[in-house]
Amino acid sequence: NAGVTQTPKFQVLKTGQSMTLQCAQDMNHNSMYWYRQDPGMGLRLIYYSASEGTTDKGEVPNGYNVSRLNKREFSLRLESAAPSQTSVYFCASSEASGTGSTEQFFGPGTRLTVL
Amino acid sequence: GESVGLHLPTLSVQEGDNSIINCAYSNSASDYFIWYKQESGKGPQFIIDIRSNMDKRQGQRVTVLLNKTVKHLSLQIAATQPGDSAVYFCAEIPPNTNAGKSTFGDGTTLTVKP
């Protein structure tokens, strides 16, 4: 099993450009998450999806949109990139459904720079 | 919103020594806690978890202690090795949280000196 995969690994954008970060998991997990991690900081939740067909805002959703394409895939879109969105983006998944709690499995991250 | 915080941002230990990483959490209702390890350039990885009905849980070379009275978690690493050098995050999950959403602390950087 590949676990959680993310593409691309690196990306440089100019201010105002758009892009989509892709994430897929092969563990048949119900829940998926997008986080950003700024240098020397912890993880901040952008959006999450408790199950296929549902998405909800996290702590820092402004400037982002998400799509839970199917149970495996959860994409994050930046419609008009800003330098403040320069960060490392992590996708994660977990078995958690409803109000259950389990560990999260993380992808390798996408390092995004916005000039 | 409530957040998890860490007492010390960095910790340096000698190889072979034991390490203790601390974490203070804010939500007294949180009932599930996880420690993650993040190596340079990688995503966080699960180390060990503990539920609020336990005070202590042991894994391979790691032990997590939970003190609900003072809302404090600690991660103990026995016989610390160079491969343990990483950033360690604690995460708390309150009960009845949709999709098991976690709140992460800022992390403690552990450096192991040979």
Side-chain angles (χ1 to χ4, degrees):
Chain A
N1 289 347
V4 179
T5 57
Q6 292 182 236
T7 56
K9 287 186 168 48
F10 301 92
Q11 184 70 50
V12 178
L13 293 177
K14 294 181 180 178
T15 296
Q17 287 185 315
S18 62
M19 78 161 295
T20 299
L21 282 64
Q22 306 287 352
C23 174
Q25 53 92 7
D26 61 2
M27 295 172 282
N28 201 36
H29 285 168
N30 293 304
S31 300
M32 298 185 74
Y33 316 82
W34 275 106
Y35 294 91
R36 60 176 288 173
Q37 185 177 34
D38 298 329
M41 301 290 286
L43 296 156
R44 291 187 292 171
L45 183 64
I46 305 171
Y47 271 94
Y48 69 101
S49 170
S51 61
E52 184 179 353
T54 68
T55 61
D56 285 285
K57 295 179 181 179
E59 181 186 354
V60 289
N62 291 344
Y64 306 95
N65 283 302
V66 290
S67 295
R68 183 76 182 265
L69 304 170
N70 47 56
K71 193 170 186 179
R72 288 188 64 248
E73 299 171 290
F74 189 38
S75 63
L76 178 72
R77 182 159 178 85
L78 285 70
E79 290 291 351
S80 179
S84 62
Q85 293 179 304
T86 294
S87 190
V88 181
Y89 291 84
F90 289 101
C91 177
S93 70
S94 77
E95 290 180 352
S97 61
T99 57
S101 301
T102 62
E103 68 183 276
Q104 294 182 17
F105 294 80
F106 287 82
T110 294
R111 282 145 187 81
L112 176 66
T113 301
V114 183
L115 304 175
Chain B
E2 296 192 68
S3 63
V4 176
L6 290 157
H7 291 311
L8 296 173
T10 61
L11 177 65
S12 183
V13 300
Q14 206 69 38
E15 181 178 359
D17 287 351
N18 297 333
S19 303
I20 300 176
I21 300 171
N22 295 306
C23 174
Y25 64 94
S26 299
N27 189 344
S28 57
S30 290
D31 63 354
Y32 182 52
F33 305 88
I34 304 174
W35 280 100
Y36 290 91
K37 172 186 181 184
Q38 186 178 23
E39 296 176 347
S40 180
K42 297 183 178 179
Q45 279 187 299
F46 171 91
I47 303 173
I48 191 167
D49 60 359
I50 189 167
R51 302 239 172 229
S52 60
N53 60 354
M54 302 172 70
D55 296 324
K56 178 180 180 179
R57 189 161 189 219
Q58 287 186 290
Q60 188 177 16
R61 279 200 311 117
V62 294
T63 301
V64 56
L65 299 177
L66 175 62
N67 185 332
K68 294 181 286 293
T69 303
V70 294
K71 293 186 287 185
H72 183 268
L73 269 174
S74 68
L75 177 71
Q76 301 179 0
I77 304 174
T80 313
Q81 301 169 0
D84 295 326
S85 292
V87 179
Y88 290 81
F89 296 96
C90 65
E92 63 171 322
I93 301 98
N96 303 315
T97 302
N98 192 22
K101 283 193 304 175
S102 303
T103 300
F104 289 84
D106 288 338
T108 292
T109 301
L110 174 65
T111 301
V112 181
K113 296 177 288 186

